[in-house]
Amino acid sequence: MLVLAIETSCDETSAAVLRANGPARAPTEASLSAPDILSNIVLSQDDVHAPYGGVVPELASRQHIKTIDVVVGESLSRAGVGLEKIDLYAVTQGPGLIGSLLVGLSFGKCLAYYFKKPLVGVNHLAAHLEAAFLENPGLPLPSLGLLVSGGHTSLYYLEEPLSYKLLGRTRDDAAGEALDKVAKFLDLGYPGGPVIERLARGGDPKKFPFAVPRTKDRSLDFSFSGLKTAALKHVRASGLTKDSPALADFLASFEEIVARSLLDNVRQAVDGTGPRSLILCGGVARNARLRTRFQEFAREADLPAFIPSPKLCTDNAAMVAAVALRKFARQPDLALDLDIDAYPR
Ligand code: KG4
Ligand code: ZN
Protein backbone atom coordinates (compact mmCIF):
# COMPACT_ATOMS: atom_id res chain seq x y z
CA MET A 1 0.00 0.00 0.00
CA LEU A 2 1.11 3.58 -0.73
CA VAL A 3 0.86 6.57 1.57
CA LEU A 4 1.35 10.20 0.57
CA ALA A 5 2.23 12.52 3.47
CA ILE A 6 2.43 16.30 3.70
CA GLU A 7 4.31 18.30 6.33
CA THR A 8 4.00 22.09 6.54
CA SER A 9 4.19 22.79 10.28
CA CYS A 10 6.86 25.46 10.09
CA ASP A 11 9.20 26.61 7.33
CA GLU A 12 9.78 23.49 5.23
CA THR A 13 7.30 22.35 2.61
CA SER A 14 7.61 18.59 2.45
CA ALA A 15 5.86 15.66 0.80
CA ALA A 16 6.77 11.98 0.84
CA VAL A 17 5.54 8.73 -0.66
CA LEU A 18 6.14 5.53 1.30
CA ARG A 19 5.33 1.99 0.31
CA ALA A 20 4.36 -0.35 3.12
CA ASN A 21 4.89 -4.02 2.58
CA GLY A 22 2.08 -6.35 3.53
CA PRO A 23 -1.64 -6.67 2.91
CA ALA A 24 -3.34 -3.35 2.21
CA ARG A 25 -6.79 -4.48 3.28
CA ALA A 26 -6.02 -5.89 6.70
CA PRO A 27 -2.61 -4.52 7.60
CA THR A 28 -0.97 -5.23 10.94
CA GLU A 29 1.68 -3.04 12.51
CA ALA A 30 4.25 -5.73 11.92
CA SER A 31 3.32 -6.09 8.25
CA LEU A 32 3.62 -2.35 7.73
CA SER A 33 6.94 -2.02 9.54
CA ALA A 34 10.05 -0.93 7.67
CA PRO A 35 8.23 0.80 4.80
CA ASP A 36 10.24 1.89 1.76
CA ILE A 37 10.73 5.63 1.39
CA LEU A 38 10.05 6.09 -2.33
CA SER A 39 10.48 9.87 -2.06
CA ASN A 40 10.90 12.49 0.65
CA ILE A 41 11.00 15.98 -0.86
CA VAL A 42 11.86 18.86 1.47
CA LEU A 43 11.77 22.41 0.17
CA SER A 44 13.31 24.74 2.71
CA GLN A 45 12.21 28.36 3.06
CA ASP A 46 15.55 29.42 4.58
CA ASP A 47 16.17 32.03 1.87
CA VAL A 48 12.78 33.63 2.56
CA HIS A 49 13.32 33.97 6.32
CA ALA A 50 17.11 34.53 6.43
CA PRO A 51 16.90 38.32 6.04
CA TYR A 52 14.77 38.42 9.22
CA GLY A 53 16.97 36.03 11.24
CA GLY A 54 13.96 33.86 12.10
CA VAL A 55 10.71 32.47 10.72
CA VAL A 56 8.12 35.10 9.77
CA PRO A 57 4.82 33.19 10.13
CA GLU A 58 2.86 35.00 7.44
CA LEU A 59 5.66 34.63 4.90
CA ALA A 60 5.88 30.94 5.79
CA SER A 61 2.18 30.34 5.01
CA ARG A 62 2.38 32.29 1.76
CA GLN A 63 5.44 30.33 0.70
CA HIS A 64 3.73 26.99 1.45
CA ILE A 65 0.79 28.05 -0.74
CA LYS A 66 3.15 28.86 -3.59
CA THR A 67 5.12 25.62 -3.46
CA ILE A 68 2.91 22.86 -2.08
CA ASP A 69 1.63 21.67 -5.47
CA VAL A 70 5.15 21.49 -6.90
CA VAL A 71 6.50 19.66 -3.85
CA VAL A 72 3.66 17.10 -3.86
CA GLY A 73 4.05 16.68 -7.63
CA GLU A 74 7.77 16.12 -7.24
CA SER A 75 7.25 13.55 -4.48
CA LEU A 76 4.95 11.58 -6.80
CA SER A 77 7.18 11.76 -9.83
CA ARG A 78 10.30 10.75 -7.85
CA ALA A 79 8.31 7.84 -6.44
CA GLY A 80 7.13 6.98 -9.94
CA VAL A 81 3.44 6.82 -8.99
CA GLY A 82 0.30 8.77 -9.85
CA LEU A 83 -2.24 10.10 -7.35
CA GLU A 84 -4.74 7.41 -8.35
CA LYS A 85 -2.37 4.80 -6.85
CA ILE A 86 -2.27 6.38 -3.36
CA ASP A 87 -4.17 4.35 -0.72
CA LEU A 88 -3.79 6.67 2.26
CA TYR A 89 -3.14 10.37 2.89
CA ALA A 90 -1.40 11.83 5.91
CA VAL A 91 -0.89 15.38 7.06
CA THR A 92 0.65 17.16 10.04
CA GLN A 93 -2.09 18.62 12.26
CA GLY A 94 0.10 20.35 14.86
CA PRO A 95 1.83 21.68 16.82
CA GLY A 96 3.22 24.36 14.54
CA LEU A 97 2.40 27.69 12.92
CA ILE A 98 -1.33 27.72 12.38
CA GLY A 99 -1.26 29.37 8.94
CA SER A 100 1.40 26.94 7.72
CA LEU A 101 -0.42 23.90 9.09
CA LEU A 102 -3.67 24.95 7.42
CA VAL A 103 -2.05 24.97 3.98
CA GLY A 104 -0.92 21.35 4.24
CA LEU A 105 -4.11 20.23 5.94
CA SER A 106 -6.36 21.81 3.30
CA PHE A 107 -4.27 20.38 0.48
CA GLY A 108 -4.38 16.91 2.05
CA LYS A 109 -8.14 17.12 2.62
CA CYS A 110 -8.75 18.05 -1.03
CA LEU A 111 -6.74 15.09 -2.29
CA ALA A 112 -8.32 12.59 0.10
CA TYR A 113 -11.80 13.91 -0.67
CA TYR A 114 -11.32 13.81 -4.43
CA PHE A 115 -9.83 10.30 -4.44
CA LYS A 116 -12.14 9.02 -1.65
CA LYS A 117 -9.28 7.75 0.51
CA PRO A 118 -8.71 7.96 4.25
CA LEU A 119 -6.78 10.91 5.68
CA VAL A 120 -4.76 10.60 8.89
CA GLY A 121 -3.91 13.67 10.99
CA VAL A 122 -0.46 13.38 12.56
CA ASN A 123 1.12 15.04 15.59
CA HIS A 124 4.44 16.64 14.63
CA LEU A 125 6.26 15.53 17.79
CA ALA A 126 5.06 11.94 17.41
CA ALA A 127 6.42 12.11 13.86
CA HIS A 128 9.89 13.22 15.03
CA LEU A 129 10.02 10.27 17.46
CA GLU A 130 8.67 7.88 14.81
CA ALA A 131 11.65 8.76 12.58
CA ALA A 132 13.74 6.51 14.84
CA PHE A 133 11.37 3.55 14.28
CA LEU A 134 11.28 4.15 10.54
CA GLU A 135 14.91 3.07 10.27
CA ASN A 136 14.87 0.67 13.25
CA PRO A 137 11.42 -0.95 13.50
CA GLY A 138 12.51 -3.37 16.21
CA LEU A 139 14.22 -0.95 18.58
CA PRO A 140 14.03 -2.26 22.16
CA LEU A 141 11.24 -0.84 24.32
CA PRO A 142 10.68 0.84 26.68
CA SER A 143 12.87 3.61 25.33
CA LEU A 144 13.83 7.09 26.43
CA GLY A 145 13.38 9.67 23.66
CA LEU A 146 15.05 13.08 23.58
CA LEU A 147 13.40 15.39 21.06
CA VAL A 148 15.42 18.53 20.31
CA SER A 149 14.15 20.97 17.71
CA GLY A 150 13.64 24.65 17.03
CA GLY A 151 10.33 24.71 18.87
CA HIS A 152 10.63 21.84 21.36
CA THR A 153 13.06 20.25 23.78
CA SER A 154 11.41 17.33 25.53
CA LEU A 155 12.19 14.01 27.11
CA TYR A 156 9.74 11.10 26.73
CA TYR A 157 9.36 7.63 28.14
CA LEU A 158 8.11 5.39 25.32
CA GLU A 159 6.26 2.26 26.39
CA GLU A 160 5.47 1.46 22.78
CA PRO A 161 5.31 3.42 19.51
CA LEU A 162 2.83 6.32 19.71
CA SER A 163 2.51 5.88 23.47
CA TYR A 164 4.65 8.48 25.22
CA LYS A 165 4.90 9.85 28.73
CA LEU A 166 6.38 13.35 28.93
CA LEU A 167 9.13 13.36 31.57
CA GLY A 168 10.46 16.86 31.08
CA ARG A 169 10.42 19.79 28.69
CA THR A 170 11.94 23.19 28.33
CA ARG A 171 10.58 25.89 30.58
CA ASP A 172 11.69 28.65 28.22
CA ASP A 173 13.68 28.45 24.98
CA ALA A 174 14.08 25.25 22.99
CA ALA A 175 17.70 24.20 22.40
CA GLY A 176 17.44 24.94 18.66
CA GLU A 177 15.90 28.31 19.44
CA ALA A 178 18.90 29.17 21.69
CA LEU A 179 21.29 28.25 18.85
CA ASP A 180 19.23 30.28 16.38
CA LYS A 181 19.17 33.34 18.67
CA VAL A 182 22.91 33.29 19.37
CA ALA A 183 23.57 33.00 15.62
CA LYS A 184 21.18 35.87 14.95
CA PHE A 185 22.87 38.06 17.57
CA LEU A 186 26.25 37.44 15.95
CA ASP A 187 24.75 37.98 12.49
CA LEU A 188 25.91 34.52 11.36
CA GLY A 189 22.85 33.58 9.29
CA TYR A 190 19.68 31.53 9.59
CA PRO A 191 18.95 28.83 10.67
CA GLY A 192 21.55 29.14 13.41
CA GLY A 193 22.16 25.46 14.25
CA PRO A 194 23.84 24.40 11.00
CA VAL A 195 25.78 27.70 10.71
CA ILE A 196 27.09 27.35 14.27
CA GLU A 197 28.03 23.75 13.58
CA ARG A 198 30.04 24.78 10.51
CA LEU A 199 31.78 27.75 12.16
CA ALA A 200 32.52 25.83 15.38
CA ARG A 201 34.49 23.18 13.52
CA GLY A 202 38.04 22.99 14.85
CA GLY A 203 37.15 25.22 17.83
CA ASP A 204 38.14 24.33 21.39
CA PRO A 205 34.94 23.38 23.28
CA LYS A 206 36.61 23.97 26.65
CA LYS A 207 37.72 27.52 25.96
CA PHE A 208 34.63 29.28 27.33
CA PRO A 209 33.52 27.77 30.64
CA PHE A 210 29.75 28.19 30.49
CA ALA A 211 27.91 26.82 33.52
CA VAL A 212 25.54 23.90 32.86
CA PRO A 213 22.02 25.23 33.40
CA ARG A 214 19.95 23.40 36.00
CA THR A 215 16.36 23.86 37.07
CA LYS A 216 16.28 24.60 40.81
CA ASP A 217 14.03 21.67 41.71
CA ARG A 218 16.27 19.15 39.85
CA SER A 219 13.26 18.08 37.77
CA LEU A 220 13.75 16.69 34.26
CA ASP A 221 12.75 20.02 32.72
CA PHE A 222 15.25 21.95 30.61
CA SER A 223 16.08 25.64 30.53
CA PHE A 224 18.10 27.35 27.82
CA SER A 225 17.28 31.02 28.15
CA GLY A 226 19.85 31.58 30.96
CA LEU A 227 22.53 29.96 28.85
CA LYS A 228 21.54 32.01 25.83
CA THR A 229 21.67 35.21 27.92
CA ALA A 230 25.11 34.26 29.30
CA ALA A 231 26.33 33.77 25.73
CA LEU A 232 24.91 37.09 24.54
CA LYS A 233 26.38 38.89 27.58
CA HIS A 234 29.78 37.44 26.79
CA VAL A 235 29.52 38.55 23.16
CA ARG A 236 28.65 42.09 24.27
CA ALA A 237 31.32 42.31 26.97
CA SER A 238 34.15 40.84 24.91
CA GLY A 239 33.27 42.57 21.65
CA LEU A 240 33.26 39.18 19.88
CA THR A 241 32.11 39.43 16.25
CA LYS A 242 31.68 37.00 13.40
CA ASP A 243 35.19 37.88 12.25
CA SER A 244 36.94 37.36 15.61
CA PRO A 245 39.60 34.63 15.69
CA ALA A 246 37.98 33.38 18.92
CA LEU A 247 34.64 32.72 17.21
CA ALA A 248 35.20 28.98 16.58
CA ASP A 249 36.19 28.40 20.22
CA PHE A 250 33.20 30.36 21.48
CA LEU A 251 30.71 28.51 19.26
CA ALA A 252 32.24 25.10 19.98
CA SER A 253 31.95 25.85 23.72
CA PHE A 254 28.33 26.88 23.32
CA GLU A 255 27.47 23.76 21.31
CA GLU A 256 29.24 21.65 23.92
CA ILE A 257 27.33 23.12 26.83
CA VAL A 258 24.00 22.69 25.06
CA ALA A 259 24.85 19.02 24.46
CA ARG A 260 26.03 18.50 28.04
CA SER A 261 22.96 20.15 29.46
CA LEU A 262 20.68 17.89 27.37
CA LEU A 263 22.59 14.79 28.42
CA ASP A 264 22.50 15.68 32.11
CA ASN A 265 18.74 15.22 32.05
CA VAL A 266 18.95 12.07 29.95
CA ARG A 267 21.36 10.59 32.51
CA GLN A 268 19.00 11.44 35.37
CA ALA A 269 16.03 9.99 33.47
CA VAL A 270 17.88 6.76 32.65
CA ASP A 271 18.65 6.28 36.34
CA GLY A 272 15.03 6.90 37.24
CA THR A 273 13.28 4.85 34.56
CA GLY A 274 15.64 2.07 33.41
CA PRO A 275 14.89 2.07 29.65
CA ARG A 276 16.19 -0.57 27.20
CA SER A 277 17.24 1.93 24.53
CA LEU A 278 17.75 5.63 23.80
CA ILE A 279 16.38 7.79 20.98
CA LEU A 280 17.64 11.20 19.87
CA CYS A 281 15.50 13.08 17.32
CA GLY A 282 14.41 16.53 16.06
CA GLY A 283 16.29 19.09 13.95
CA VAL A 284 19.11 19.66 16.44
CA ALA A 285 19.81 15.91 16.36
CA ARG A 286 21.56 16.63 13.05
CA ASN A 287 24.33 18.23 15.07
CA ALA A 288 27.49 16.10 14.90
CA ARG A 289 28.74 17.08 18.36
CA LEU A 290 25.39 16.21 19.97
CA ARG A 291 25.22 12.91 18.06
CA THR A 292 28.70 12.02 19.28
CA ARG A 293 28.03 12.99 22.90
CA PHE A 294 24.75 11.03 22.81
CA GLN A 295 26.50 7.91 21.47
CA GLU A 296 29.24 8.27 24.07
CA PHE A 297 26.68 8.49 26.84
CA ALA A 298 24.79 5.47 25.48
CA ARG A 299 27.96 3.38 25.50
CA GLU A 300 28.66 4.49 29.07
CA ALA A 301 25.09 3.54 30.07
CA ASP A 302 25.38 0.28 28.11
CA LEU A 303 22.25 1.04 26.08
CA PRO A 304 21.72 0.99 22.30
CA ALA A 305 21.23 4.49 20.84
CA PHE A 306 19.00 5.22 17.84
CA ILE A 307 19.45 8.51 16.00
CA PRO A 308 17.65 8.95 12.66
CA SER A 309 19.84 9.77 9.68
CA PRO A 310 20.22 13.57 9.34
CA LYS A 311 17.58 14.00 6.65
CA LEU A 312 14.98 12.35 8.90
CA CYS A 313 15.89 14.57 11.88
CA THR A 314 14.81 17.94 10.47
CA ASP A 315 11.20 18.42 9.42
CA ASN A 316 10.21 16.01 6.64
CA ALA A 317 7.08 14.23 5.46
CA ALA A 318 8.47 10.66 5.57
CA MET A 319 8.23 10.66 9.37
CA VAL A 320 4.62 11.86 9.08
CA ALA A 321 3.82 9.02 6.67
CA ALA A 322 5.35 6.53 9.11
CA VAL A 323 3.02 7.61 11.93
CA ALA A 324 0.04 7.43 9.57
CA LEU A 325 0.88 3.86 8.57
CA ARG A 326 1.05 2.83 12.20
CA LYS A 327 -2.27 4.50 13.01
CA PHE A 328 -3.86 2.94 9.94
CA ALA A 329 -2.64 -0.51 10.95
CA ARG A 330 -4.27 -0.05 14.34
CA GLN A 331 -7.47 1.27 12.81
CA PRO A 332 -7.80 -0.03 9.22
CA ASP A 333 -11.49 0.95 8.96
CA LEU A 334 -10.48 4.61 9.28
CA ALA A 335 -12.86 6.74 7.22
CA LEU A 336 -12.19 10.10 5.63
CA ASP A 337 -12.79 12.72 8.31
CA LEU A 338 -13.01 16.18 6.78
CA ASP A 339 -13.46 17.74 10.23
CA ILE A 340 -9.92 17.18 11.41
CA ASP A 341 -8.46 20.51 12.44
CA ALA A 342 -5.04 22.08 12.82
CA TYR A 343 -3.78 22.93 16.30
CA PRO A 344 -0.93 25.36 17.03
CA ARG A 345 0.10 23.77 20.38
O1 KG4 B 1 12.81 19.78 13.78
P1 KG4 B 1 13.11 21.03 13.03
O2 KG4 B 1 13.46 20.91 11.58
O3 KG4 B 1 11.92 22.05 13.14
C1 KG4 B 1 11.17 22.19 14.30
O4 KG4 B 1 10.25 21.36 14.52
O5 KG4 B 1 11.50 23.13 15.07
O6 KG4 B 1 14.31 21.76 13.83
C2 KG4 B 1 14.82 22.98 13.43
C3 KG4 B 1 15.94 23.36 14.38
C4 KG4 B 1 16.47 24.78 14.18
O7 KG4 B 1 16.56 25.42 15.44
C5 KG4 B 1 17.86 24.55 13.59
O8 KG4 B 1 18.79 25.57 13.94
C6 KG4 B 1 18.23 23.22 14.22
O9 KG4 B 1 17.06 22.47 14.21
N1 KG4 B 1 19.28 22.52 13.46
C7 KG4 B 1 20.52 22.26 13.94
C8 KG4 B 1 21.23 21.64 12.89
N2 KG4 B 1 20.39 21.52 11.81
C9 KG4 B 1 19.20 22.05 12.19
N3 KG4 B 1 21.07 22.53 15.14
C10 KG4 B 1 22.35 22.16 15.32
N4 KG4 B 1 23.10 21.58 14.36
C11 KG4 B 1 22.60 21.29 13.15
N5 KG4 B 1 23.35 20.71 12.21
ZN1 ZN C 1 10.07 19.64 13.77
Side-chain angles (χ1 to χ4, degrees):
M1 81 176 280
L2 291 170
V3 53
L4 170 72
I6 296 172
E7 148 69 39
T8 60
S9 66
C10 189
D11 62 338
E12 342 268 0
T13 319
S14 181
V17 178
L18 270 63
R19 183 177 45 223
N21 305 302
R25 272 174 208 286
T28 61
E29 259 181 275
S31 72
L32 294 185
S33 72
D36 298 319
I37 303 177
L38 301 186
S39 65
N40 187 19
I41 306 297
V42 180
L43 183 63
S44 145
Q45 302 180 353
D46 289 352
D47 293 349
V48 174
H49 303 289
Y52 307 93
V55 178
V56 182
E58 181 170 341
L59 295 182
S61 329
R62 289 176 185 274
Q63 194 65 16
H64 286 307
I65 289 175
K66 272 192 205 156
T67 58
I68 182 110
D69 56 334
V70 179
V71 170
V72 169
E74 185 66 17
S75 74
L76 290 161
S77 75
R78 289 272 181 98
V81 299
L83 277 171
E84 70 289 347
K85 291 274 190 296
I86 301 295
D87 303 294
L88 179 69
Y89 289 91
V91 64
T92 306
Q93 260 185 292
L97 301 171
I98 194 70
S100 293
L101 289 163
L102 285 170
V103 176
L105 186 60
S106 306
F107 205 86
K109 278 187 186 180
C110 288
L111 291 174
Y113 178 70
Y114 184 81
F115 289 97
K116 300 190 175 53
K117 298 291 177 189
L119 173 72
V120 181
V122 171
N123 177 287
H124 184 69
L125 307 178
H128 271 302
L129 286 161
E130 190 68 27
F133 293 90
L134 188 47
E135 292 177 316
N136 301 281
L139 72 82
L141 294 165
S143 186
L144 200 67
L146 175 64
L147 193 170
V148 204
S149 73
H152 299 268
T153 302
S154 310
L155 199 51
Y156 297 91
Y157 184 72
L158 288 78
E159 294 270 11
E160 58 168 310
L162 299 187
S163 164
Y164 317 129
K165 184 172 169 236
L166 180 69
L167 299 178
R169 63 189 169 102
T170 185
R171 294 194 177 166
D172 37 62
D173 291 351
E177 193 179 352
L179 291 165
D180 292 340
K181 285 179 178 168
V182 167
K184 181 177 181 181
F185 196 73
L186 278 161
D187 197 21
L188 302 179
Y190 171 84
V195 186
I196 288 181
E197 167 151 45
R198 182 165 46 81
L199 296 175
R201 233 165 255 155
D204 177 358
K206 295 203 182 78
K207 198 74 177 206
F208 290 86
F210 290 109
V212 179
R214 280 185 213 290
T215 47
K216 286 198 185 77
D217 52 9
R218 294 295 284 132
S219 78
L220 289 170
D221 283 347
F222 302 89
S223 169
F224 288 99
S225 87
L227 189 58
K228 174 199 68 193
T229 307
L232 300 189
K233 262 191 190 153
H234 176 82
V235 170
R236 249 186 245 117
S238 66
L240 187 87
T241 69
K242 61 178 175 183
D243 303 314
S244 303
L247 184 72
D249 291 343
F250 174 77
L251 296 178
S253 304
F254 190 66
E255 254 189 2
E256 184 74 25
I257 199 75
V258 168
R260 271 182 45 204
S261 156
L262 291 166
L263 283 167
D264 264 13
N265 287 25
V266 176
R267 185 174 291 112
Q268 195 181 325
V270 166
D271 292 345
T273 62
R276 292 181 59 220
S277 66
L278 300 172
I279 292 172
L280 173 66
C281 63
V284 183
R286 280 186 91 119
N287 185 270
R289 192 183 304 276
L290 177 59
R291 293 172 87 92
T292 306
R293 294 290 172 268
F294 195 83
Q295 297 280 13
E296 285 168 0
F297 167 73
R299 267 196 298 278
E300 201 184 290
D302 200 19
L303 289 169
F306 298 92
I307 313 177
S309 44
K311 184 155 186 207
L312 293 175
C313 286
T314 29
D315 291 351
N316 69 90
M319 64 186 191
V320 177
V323 172
L325 283 172
R326 201 182 282 287
K327 283 188 160 185
F328 184 68
R330 289 183 188 178
Q331 206 188 332
D333 56 349
L334 208 89
L336 170 59
D337 176 8
L338 287 176
D339 287 337
I340 65 170
D341 207 355
Y343 49 88
R345 287 168 202 286

